[in-house]
Amino acid sequence: MAAITKEQIKRIYGMGAGLGIVGKDRDDMLHEVIFSITGKESVKDLTDSDFKAVQTELINRMKLA
């Protein structure tokens, strides 16, 4: 499976920043969310389907925020 694009990576980090869950390293809430959904520790390792699942979760959290 192909890795996600730089634009998709920026979108995940942008949404995470909007939710206030991005920290200085991978030990932040954004990466905990990504790991809980995909089992992957790095945003760069996500596939397109992983991206869609993570994006959906972040959108849902934004609606609740």
Side-chain angles (χ1 to χ4, degrees), residues 10-22 30 58 61-62 65:
K10 286 180 187 174
R11 182 162 173 80
I12 286 176
Y13 277 107
M15 294 172 76
L19 287 165
I21 61 172
V22 176
L30 176 62
L58 295 176
R61 288 179 182 226
M62 291 171 113

Side-chain angles (χ1 to χ4, degrees), residues 6-64:
K6 287 181 182 176
E7 287 74 24
Q8 287 172 310
I9 292 170
K10 286 180 187 174
R11 182 162 173 80
I12 286 176
Y13 277 107
M15 294 172 76
L19 287 165
I21 61 172
V22 176
K24 292 181 177 146
D25 55 29
R26 289 185 183 174
D27 190 23
D28 60 13
M29 281 189 61
L30 176 62
H31 286 83
E32 288 177 21
V33 170
I34 291 167
F35 185 79
S36 71
I37 294 169
T38 67
K40 296 176 183 171
E41 295 184 10
S42 174
V43 177
K44 293 176 187 168
D45 292 339
L46 301 180
T47 64
D48 193 58
S49 61
D50 292 335
F51 167 78
K52 289 175 182 165
V54 171
Q55 177 178 246
T56 298
E57 174 62 23
L58 295 176
I59 288 170
N60 288 338
R61 288 179 182 226
M62 291 171 113
K63 288 177 183 172
L64 297 172

